[in-house]
Amino acid sequence: MELKAQETAARIDFTKRENIELYIIIVLMVVSVIFVPVLKGIIAIAPILYFFIERKVRKRTLEEIGFSSAHIKENISNTWKLILFTGIAMQLLYLFSYKNFFPEVLEHVLGRIPLDFSNLNPLLFLSIALLAFGEEIVFRGLIQARLSKLMPVWVVILVTSLLFAAMHISTGEGTVVIVDLLSVFIDSILFGIIFAKTRNIYIVTLAHILANTVALLSIYLFVV
């Protein structure tokens, strides 16, 4: 009995440390957005390093942290409609809406993304793929997965998506920024649903890369 009590206490202490670490990461993100936006890039990289170092230190398996290749075909089969809806339909809807009704938002989006959309090349596609992978590690593999142990999944997806949108804030006219962030928030909710259904970073990254690629190609073909 005493041994079981010690094991239970150790598990509770371990969970508390995990939660504290997560809260520190979230607070740093919020502080960077509000007070030192110039540091957002660095703050965004830190959780990725933490994610892999923590996995090594605490000896987590790849499956435990969301890198499972065992059920990829099954996961895609169960979510392909949502992946295509998120990655293609929503991105084309955003572009159509911006180009026809909110041209200033489209200009704002192009301004806040440090990429040259007028010159398609492999490095550009590699950049958006790596960006998607990094964001999914942080916001789904780390934040959503950890918060899911503390809150209902729908609350977790909303909270994670609010933070995801906040990390994409850039200076501009208020209404323009809000409309821009609304699309980011909606995408994050959809990515969150995909991750909740699969618990697989590979699958949600696939959806994110598809969304980025479709957005890039549509801007190249219809805007620049």
Side-chain angles (χ1 to χ4, degrees):
M1 290 293 292
E2 183 178 344
L3 180 59
K4 287 185 177 180
Q6 291 175 347
E7 290 176 348
T8 300
R11 282 196 299 270
I12 293 173
D13 185 54
F14 173 75
T15 302
K16 286 174 63 177
R17 288 199 302 272
E18 279 187 307
N19 293 342
I20 291 172
E21 291 163 4
L22 177 63
Y23 297 150
I24 290 173
I25 289 171
I26 292 174
V27 167
L28 287 174
M29 286 182 172
V30 173
V31 168
S32 71
V33 168
I34 297 174
F35 300 107
V36 280
V38 70
L39 295 180
K40 278 198 304 182
I42 296 175
I43 297 299
I45 293 173
I48 300 176
L49 298 176
Y50 164 81
F51 183 82
F52 288 109
I53 293 172
E54 192 266 354
R55 178 249 168 177
K56 193 74 173 178
V57 170
R58 289 175 175 155
K59 298 180 174 60
R60 301 184 191 274
T61 65
L62 289 174
E63 288 75 15
E64 284 181 295
I65 63 171
F67 288 102
S68 174
S69 57
H71 304 288
I72 285 183
K73 288 184 178 180
E74 179 184 345
N75 288 333
I76 291 177
S77 177
N78 292 334
T79 58
W80 68 269
K81 292 181 181 178
L82 184 56
I83 290 173
L84 293 181
F85 175 75
T86 305
I88 298 177
M90 290 303 297
Q91 307 315 308
L92 295 178
L93 176 62
Y94 296 146
L95 182 64
F96 176 82
S97 301
Y98 294 163
K99 190 174 181 182
N100 291 280
F101 306 108
F102 305 103
E104 63 277 10
V105 176
L106 182 57
E107 184 178 346
H108 176 78
V109 171
L110 293 176
R112 73 167 169 80
I113 301 176
L115 298 174
D116 181 6
F117 290 92
S118 63
N119 181 25
L120 295 185
N121 59 73
L123 286 179
L124 184 58
F125 287 99
L126 178 61
S127 296
I128 64 173
L130 290 175
L131 179 63
F133 184 51
E135 287 183 335
E136 291 313 312
I137 287 174
V138 174
F139 290 97
R140 255 55 68 174
L142 176 58
I143 295 175
Q144 181 172 329
R146 292 276 183 91
L147 288 180
S148 293
K149 300 175 183 179
L150 306 172
M151 311 173 188
V153 65
W154 67 270
V155 176
V156 172
I157 291 174
L158 288 177
V159 170
T160 303
S161 297
L162 284 171
L163 185 59
F164 184 79
M167 291 298 289
H168 288 77
I169 290 177
S170 58
T171 56
E173 196 274 322
T175 303
V176 171
V177 173
I178 290 172
V179 173
D180 175 29
L181 293 181
L182 180 61
S183 65
V184 177
F185 178 72
I186 292 172
D187 277 347
S188 183
I189 286 178
L190 294 170
F191 294 145
I193 293 172
I194 293 170
F195 184 73
K197 288 178 174 291
T198 63
R199 304 294 293 183
N200 194 314
I201 291 176
Y202 294 132
I203 303 300
V204 71
T205 298
L206 173 64
H208 200 150
I209 290 175
L210 178 62
N212 285 358
T213 301
V214 170
L216 169 63
L217 290 175
S218 60
I219 289 173
Y220 178 78
L221 292 172
F222 303 114
V223 178
V224 299

